[in-house]
């Protein structure tokens, strides 16, 4: 629950997550929240081009991160040109993720959203779009609902249905086992 970055604060630093998971949150004037993403090992936070942070980042579990001064960023990039290339790759990946999230929220069914989310989580930290059969979900069902634009009840019902149909197993509240990754991929793409 610790806030790493607060929406609206001066963007004086950027951060790189070295362990744990954080959620990126936008608050609406009426108090509702939209989770725009989850950041885990290797993700950067606060690479805003504006003078203030456009979102908040909150720790979901124990998070360790490195903090860098934005004022010194230019010097660092001059000294390490490969880092500038890496940050451009990160920004490009963030753009693709934002476009996928727009599709997910705008056109996919609850079932397709959940399949997309589970497959994305199974690929976190795994090279070449491979997936893990078993992975942790440190976020709450409420976090997942706020990310997918669903209610908590819909998230729970959809997970239960995917489990009953044999696509996944749920050994603990914070663990998922994907039994049929090909079928979940098809479902996420709207082909099932």
């Amino acid at each position: 629950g610790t806030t790493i970055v607060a929406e609206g604060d001066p963007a004086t630093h950027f951060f790189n997550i070295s362990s744990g998971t954080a959620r990126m949150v936008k608050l609406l004037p009426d108090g509702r929240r939209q989770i725009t993403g989850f950041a885990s090992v290797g993700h950067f936070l606060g690479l805003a081009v504006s003078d203030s942070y456009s979102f908040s980042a909150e720790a979901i579990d124990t998070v360790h991160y490195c903090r860098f001064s934005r004022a010194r960023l230019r010097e660092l990039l001059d000294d390490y040109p490969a880092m500038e290339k890496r940050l451009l790759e990160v920004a490009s990946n963030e753009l693709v993720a934002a476009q996928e999230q727009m599709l997910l929220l705008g056109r996919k069914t609850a079932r397709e959203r959940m399949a997309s989310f589970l497959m994305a989580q199974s690929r976190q930290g795994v090279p070449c779009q491979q997936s893990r059969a078993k992975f942790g979900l440190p976020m709450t069902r409420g976090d997942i609902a706020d990310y997918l634009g669903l209610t908590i009840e819909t998230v729970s019902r959809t997970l239960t249905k995917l489990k009953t149909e044999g696509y996944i197993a749920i050994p603990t509240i914070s663990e998922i086992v994907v039994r049929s990754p090909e079928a979940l991929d098809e479902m996420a793409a709207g082909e099932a």
Side-chain angles (χ1 to χ4, degrees):
T2 302
T3 299
I4 301 166
V5 172
E7 182 177 357
D9 280 359
T12 56
H13 294 88
F14 71 97
F15 307 82
N16 180 253
I17 304 280
S18 54
S19 69
T21 304
R23 61 182 162 246
M24 280 89 73
V25 178
K26 290 284 290 181
L27 293 177
L28 299 172
D30 64 3
R32 290 178 294 159
R33 72 176 184 168
Q34 174 68 49
I35 295 179
T36 60
F38 297 99
S40 57
V41 176
H43 285 97
F44 286 90
L45 302 172
L47 289 175
V49 292
S50 64
D51 293 334
S52 61
Y53 297 116
S54 60
F55 63 88
S56 294
E58 304 165 346
I60 291 176
D61 51 14
T62 301
V63 173
H64 293 110
Y65 56 84
C66 296
R67 184 177 81 163
F68 301 93
S69 166
R70 287 183 70 201
R72 303 234 8 196
L73 177 60
R74 179 51 39 202
E75 294 173 29
L76 184 66
L77 295 178
D78 288 342
D79 291 343
Y80 299 97
M83 186 169 179
E84 186 169 25
K85 182 180 177 189
R86 174 69 178 123
L87 290 178
L88 180 59
E89 289 172 5
V90 167
S92 297
N93 289 338
E94 293 285 329
L95 179 59
V96 169
Q99 291 169 336
E100 288 176 3
Q101 183 68 3
M102 284 188 295
L103 171 66
L104 180 134
L105 292 174
R107 293 292 177 205
K108 290 189 176 184
T109 66
R111 189 175 172 90
E112 292 165 346
R113 291 178 195 192
M114 186 58 68
S116 297
F117 175 74
L118 292 174
M119 290 311 297
Q121 292 302 305
S122 76
R123 291 182 175 118
Q124 281 288 350
V126 181
C128 302
Q129 289 297 308
Q130 296 173 350
S131 61
R132 297 171 289 165
K134 184 177 184 178
F135 55 92
L137 281 183
M139 61 287 298
T140 66
R141 299 300 190 252
D143 288 343
I144 296 168
D146 287 348
Y147 177 66
L148 296 177
L150 301 169
T151 65
I152 295 171
E153 295 80 10
T154 301
V155 167
S156 294
R157 273 195 310 270
T158 306
L159 283 171
T160 299
K161 189 164 184 165
L162 292 174
K163 177 183 171 186
T164 302
E165 293 171 349
Y167 293 108
I168 63 171
I170 307 173
T172 68
I173 191 82
S174 61
E175 266 186 329
I176 297 287
V177 175
V178 176
R179 291 188 169 155
S180 184
E182 298 82 12
L184 276 184
D185 269 335
E186 288 176 6
M187 190 181 302
E191 298 170 4

